[in-house]
Amino acid sequence: MNAIISASDLAKDLAGARPPVLLDVRWQLTAAKAAGEPPIDGRAAYEAGHLPGAVYVDLDRELASAPGKGGRHPLPGLAHFGAAMRRAGVSSGTPVVVYDGGQGWAAARAWWLLRWTGHPDVRVLDGGLPSWEGPLDTSVTDPAEGDFVPEPGAGLLDADAAAALARSGVLLDARAGERYRGEVEPIDPVAGHIPGAVSAPTTENVAADGRFRPAGELRARFEALGVTEGTRVGVYCGSGVSAAHEVLALAAAGIPAELYVGSWSEWSSDPERPVAVGPDPR
C-alpha cells in the first residue's frame, strides 16, 4: 500500500463505496514560531474551510504529550491517543487519509502514530490542502465513534538505540543543514547533531510544489546518503515531527525506517550525551 495519495485519487475514494476517514492536522512548527512567523491557529483554519467530512486533530494535544525530558513532542499516552482517534471516527477496518496545510510534517506525524499503533490503512494527502481542487466545508464534522484501539509495534527508537544505530546502520538527521552543522540553533539548548548521524533535510524529499518526489528519485537520494538494501535506517529531527515526514518519504521509496521521537530536543537536554558539529557525521 502506498503511504501517500494524490488529490485526484482521494476524490475518487471519497465517492466510492468505502470512503476514508479524513483527519485535518494543520499545525505550525516551533522553529517557525521562533523565527517570528505569524502564528497559525489550526482549529480556526479548520473552521474557516476544510475537506468535506474531515475532523480536526490537534497535534500538540492529541498527537503528543506535554514537553519535558522526553523532548518537545513526546509520544501521547496510548489511552489518550486512542480516545482522540475514536472521537475522530477512526476504526481499524476503515481507511484513513491525513492532511495538513501543505508542508506534510504534521500529517506525517499522525500517519506514523497510526501505523506504529497498528492501523493497517493510512495515507497522507500529497501536497496537503493546497492540492485539493474540490469544494471546502466550514461545518464542524461530528462523526460516529470509531473503534480503533492502538497497539504499539516496532519502529520506535529511544536515545540509546539512536546512538547505536548511528554506528551500526544509517541515522538520518532531518533538520536543516545549518542546524545539523551547529551553525544555528533557534530552539534547543545545544547546537549540533548526534555523532555518526547523516544530514538529510526533509525539505529535499519534496518538489517546489510541496509534493513528494517520485519514488525512484527518493530511492536514489537515500542511496547517496548510504542507505543500501538491508541497511537499518533511523530518523530524527528537532522533536519527532519533520522526522516522521522523512520516514514517510522513505516508505514511499520502499524503505522501512525507525523514528527517534525524542529527537534533538531530548538528546540535547542531557549534558552527558555527546554532540558533533560541522559537516562531518562524526
Side-chain angles (χ1 to χ4, degrees), residues 12-251:
K12 292 175 187 174
D13 286 359
L14 289 171
R18 193 168 171 254
V21 170
L22 295 177
L23 304 182
D24 182 314
V25 197
R26 276 178 273 182
W27 171 82
Q28 187 174 34
L29 189 67
T30 309
K33 296 176 186 175
E37 292 184 17
I40 293 173
D41 184 334
R43 166 66 72 173
Y46 166 83
E47 291 177 354
H50 53 267
L51 268 64
V55 177
Y56 177 68
V57 174
D58 189 311
L59 186 148
D60 289 318
R61 293 179 175 84
E62 296 174 316
L63 305 182
S65 55
K69 288 185 178 180
R72 283 192 307 279
H73 291 102
L75 290 177
L78 286 178
H80 180 74
F81 173 64
M85 292 298 97
R86 290 190 293 275
R87 173 196 63 80
V90 175
S91 292
S92 297
T94 304
V96 177
V97 172
V98 193
Y99 71 90
D100 57 24
Q103 194 172 40
W105 295 358
R109 171 74 174 218
W111 167 84
W112 183 85
L113 272 168
L114 281 164
R115 294 292 293 150
W116 176 64
T117 54
H119 198 289
D121 190 350
V122 191
R123 288 170 291 175
V124 169
L125 176 59
D126 198 13
L129 186 65
S131 70
W132 180 254
E133 296 181 353
L136 297 180
D137 189 10
T138 57
S139 61
V140 175
T141 305
D142 184 19
E145 183 91 357
D147 64 15
F148 179 68
V149 177
E151 295 182 4
L156 177 66
L157 299 171
D158 61 13
D160 291 339
L165 183 53
R167 298 188 295 268
S168 63
V170 175
L171 180 66
L172 301 175
D173 184 320
R175 298 173 301 161
E178 59 269 24
R179 290 183 71 190
Y180 169 88
R181 295 187 295 271
E183 297 165 3
V184 298
E185 183 44 66
I187 309 166
D188 294 312
V190 180
H193 61 267
I194 297 173
V198 177
S199 180
T202 197
T203 51
E204 296 178 16
N205 295 321
V206 297
D209 62 1
R211 291 177 173 85
F212 279 100
R213 298 186 183 280
E217 288 185 20
L218 290 172
R219 280 192 294 272
R221 182 196 182 208
F222 293 122
E223 250 180 56
L225 294 170
V227 178
T228 56
E229 188 172 354
T231 304
R232 188 179 169 201
V233 183
V235 189
Y236 76 96
C237 59
S239 66
V241 177
S242 65
H245 189 271
E246 188 123 294
V247 173
L248 177 61
L250 285 153

